[in-house]
Amino acid sequence: MSRDDGPLAHAWAYFNLHASQRITIFNYFVVFSGILTTGLAAAIQAPPRLAVVGVALGLLLCLLSFLFWQLDRRTSFLIKHAEDAIKLQEPVGARLMTEEVVKTADAKKDEGLWTYGKVFRSIFLVMAIVGLAGAIVSGLRGSGRLSWEDPKPPRQLARPDYNGEPAPVQSSPRETDVSAPEVRTPERPGNAERQTR
């Protein structure tokens, strides 16, 4: 570049700074959201007493997605600001920024091309939904409305005996008393008289 390219070089440096900053911010989001999602999955599978941890992690993931979306909006604005400055200073034979805007618009219309912004926004939205869903599931587990454990078998009710009071339930035939009941023979009046004589 010659000395006359000073404004263009400045615009390119400004563009390069914020373009690389945007990718760096997104990389941080991937790392932090991955950590929170792993913790959220562990909290959902943990005992219900730890449900409050799952709710906190889920809400934190929603907040993180929102904040990084706002940071991405800011860096995207600064990048477009640099692009506008570059368009004014580009040499006639290499109007990259000017032609890129038109070609991108045509590709979006004809081929359904997604921009960086659309991809990033979609990922932020998905992670926010994951965080909200994880917070709701953790809340339901904490309140006892949702459980991963198998339901306990129903308890066998005690059968009432002839007095109307519940009798103990015998679980197996081995525990039952198989001895014969004691049989009493009625005494004859003549036998009692003989014994008293």
Side-chain angles (χ1 to χ4, degrees):
M1 289 187 181
S2 63
R3 292 181 182 177
D4 295 336
D5 295 330
L8 182 59
H10 175 69
W12 270 110
Y14 186 88
F15 172 84
N16 187 41
L17 170 68
H18 293 295
S20 61
Q21 189 179 49
R22 187 179 194 187
I23 300 299
T24 302
I25 288 172
F26 183 74
N27 288 340
Y28 277 116
F29 173 74
V30 170
V31 171
F32 291 146
S33 63
I35 292 170
L36 288 176
T37 304
T38 303
L40 180 60
I44 288 174
Q45 296 175 359
R49 68 177 182 273
L50 298 176
V52 67
V53 176
V55 172
L57 290 175
L59 295 178
L60 188 59
L61 184 56
C62 290
L63 178 64
L64 187 79
S65 300
F66 175 77
L67 293 177
F68 273 87
W69 171 55
Q70 292 298 324
L71 284 172
D72 184 67
R73 287 182 65 195
R74 176 61 180 161
T75 52
S76 176
F77 172 80
L78 295 174
I79 289 169
K80 292 191 183 309
H81 182 59
E83 288 175 354
D84 292 339
I86 291 171
K87 288 176 196 173
L88 297 174
Q89 302 292 328
E90 278 186 316
V92 178
R95 295 203 174 269
L96 298 175
M97 287 291 177
T98 307
E99 294 177 4
E100 186 270 334
V101 173
V102 176
K103 289 183 178 180
T104 299
D106 291 340
K108 284 165 64 176
K109 188 185 302 181
D110 299 336
E111 303 170 17
L113 179 72
W114 282 30
T115 61
Y116 276 101
K118 189 172 183 179
V119 172
F120 289 173
R121 285 190 300 271
S122 299
I123 294 172
F124 294 144
L125 179 62
V126 167
M127 295 312 295
I129 291 172
V130 168
L132 184 61
I136 291 171
V137 169
S138 295
L140 290 174
R141 290 204 71 218
S143 65
R145 296 181 183 174
L146 182 65
S147 176
W148 307 136
E149 289 82 22
D150 293 332
K152 294 180 180 177
R155 293 180 62 191
Q156 190 175 4
L157 299 176
R159 297 183 303 256
D161 65 1
Y162 62 91
N163 290 331
E165 298 175 359
V169 178
Q170 296 173 346
S171 58
S172 67
R174 294 178 184 172
E175 296 175 4
T176 59
D177 186 10
V178 291
S179 60
E182 183 181 344
V183 180
R184 300 178 112 197
T185 56
E187 295 184 10
R188 297 182 182 171
N191 292 340
E193 290 177 5
R194 289 178 192 161
Q195 291 175 1
T196 55
R197 288 184 185 171

